[in-house]
Amino acid sequence: MSLASDYKGRKGASSPAKVPADVLALLNRGELECVNLSEWLAIDGVVLLGYVAKNLGLNVDPEVLRQNPENSKAMTLHRNIADLLLNGNLNPAQRSALATHQSDTVRSWAALMAGKEATAPEVKLTNLIPFAADSSMTVRELVWMALRHEVAADPELWLGLLAPLSHHDDANVRRFASEVTRPRGVWAAHIAKLKATPSLGQALLEPLKNDPSRYVQDSVANWLNDASKSDPAWVEHLCAQWQKSSDTKATAYIVKRAL
């Protein structure tokens, strides 16, 4: 039997269909993390949930997910898995096991669950930050998507809550604060208020104009590029201000990409 340790450092397949059978088997058992999008798309979430449910004693029936044809779409399936888990009366130990699981896909379910739960905004953000700091890009991408609908519904509230994260020690968390508030973004609803008035996001972006992380720099530049599609004058003005106040390679990179 193949062991997860045998596959460390592997290069991911170029498409879901090309993921090797032995790698896919480990992914579907929750014994291996994805290294790229192709592997994540290749996973059979229902099979994976079956293994996880058995191992953790979860009171859920994964096969009900096959009854919905919409679950052929990966994002829809994973969101519905999160719903199924939320309705499964999980105990604290089971929730913790999901949140710390060796499979990045399973941890992403826990992130989606945290985003769906009816908790106070401050509590929800606290619960999501560990996922924003996750070592896996899969989890980091799904965690901002998990909060996106709430940010879109009340951007001013969330900008106030997220702004302090622009000073966080972890670059992944700083990037989360930027990415979840992008006016347009990808794979997610646009934020109408930020498209119309992107200056609302300036307090959050300002501390990031000279961020040392390229991961953060790309997100900030993409944020401004989103904004430029509806308010180019504001973006040009802000970029000019940044160039005057921050003569660094990081700022120059952000401005060039933003414009």
Side-chain angles (χ1 to χ4, degrees):
M1 180 180 291
S2 300
L3 300 176
S5 58
D6 297 335
Y7 296 91
K8 289 184 178 179
R10 72 188 183 284
K11 182 179 180 181
S14 59
S15 71
K18 293 182 178 179
V19 175
D22 50 351
V23 172
L24 184 56
L26 288 167
L27 291 168
N28 282 335
R29 293 201 299 268
E31 298 174 15
L32 197 63
E33 287 200 351
C34 301
V35 297
N36 65 5
L37 181 60
S38 292
E39 289 190 354
W40 183 76
L41 290 170
I43 289 174
D44 186 325
V46 177
V47 171
L48 175 57
L49 180 58
Y51 277 103
V52 173
K54 181 178 179 180
N55 292 337
L56 299 182
L58 307 182
N59 184 30
V60 297
D61 178 11
E63 290 304 318
V64 301
L65 295 162
R66 301 222 187 261
Q67 299 170 15
N68 183 355
E70 287 295 309
N71 284 332
S72 61
K73 301 172 185 176
M75 272 305 305
T76 301
L77 173 61
H78 291 298
R79 290 184 188 280
N80 286 340
I81 287 174
D83 284 336
L84 188 65
L85 291 168
L86 274 175
N87 293 325
N89 297 316
L90 276 60
N91 61 44
Q94 291 169 326
R95 284 173 171 264
S96 177
L98 292 174
T100 58
H101 201 278
Q102 61 188 332
S103 166
D104 57 309
T105 304
V106 176
R107 296 198 304 277
S108 72
W109 297 342
L112 290 171
M113 289 169 63
K116 287 172 175 283
E117 289 189 291
T119 55
E122 297 85 354
V123 174
K124 181 166 290 189
L125 184 57
T126 297
N127 292 341
L128 287 172
I129 287 175
F131 298 109
D134 198 275
S135 60
S136 168
M137 183 175 287
T138 303
V139 181
R140 296 197 303 270
E141 287 301 300
L142 286 184
V143 70
W144 73 256
M145 292 183 193
L147 189 61
R148 179 73 173 188
H149 66 291
E150 294 204 24
V151 175
D154 195 345
E156 290 174 290
L157 167 68
W158 282 101
L159 283 166
L161 293 174
L162 289 161
L165 298 187
S166 296
H167 301 278
H168 201 280
D169 291 341
D170 192 318
N172 290 334
V173 177
R174 299 196 301 275
R175 190 261 188 179
F176 164 73
S178 171
E179 199 69 15
V180 74
T181 57
R182 281 179 57 180
R184 293 173 185 268
V186 292
W187 294 2
H190 290 187
I191 302 177
K193 202 160 196 175
L194 286 176
K195 286 166 65 175
T197 314
S199 58
L200 293 171
Q202 186 167 345
L204 182 149
L205 297 172
E206 198 70 35
L208 305 177
K209 66 178 180 290
N210 187 33
D211 199 281
S213 166
R214 182 56 59 91
Y215 191 45
V216 178
Q217 293 167 19
D218 283 341
S219 182
V220 173
N222 290 340
W223 201 114
L224 294 175
N225 192 266
D226 284 353
S228 73
K229 293 176 172 62
S230 53
D231 194 346
W234 177 77
V235 174
E236 290 172 355
H237 178 68
L238 181 64
C239 286
Q241 284 186 323
W242 283 6
Q243 286 176 308
K244 289 181 181 178
S245 64
S246 180
D247 184 20
T248 67
K249 289 182 178 179
T251 303
Y253 174 84
I254 291 172
V255 168
K256 181 178 180 180
R257 185 179 175 99
L259 298 176

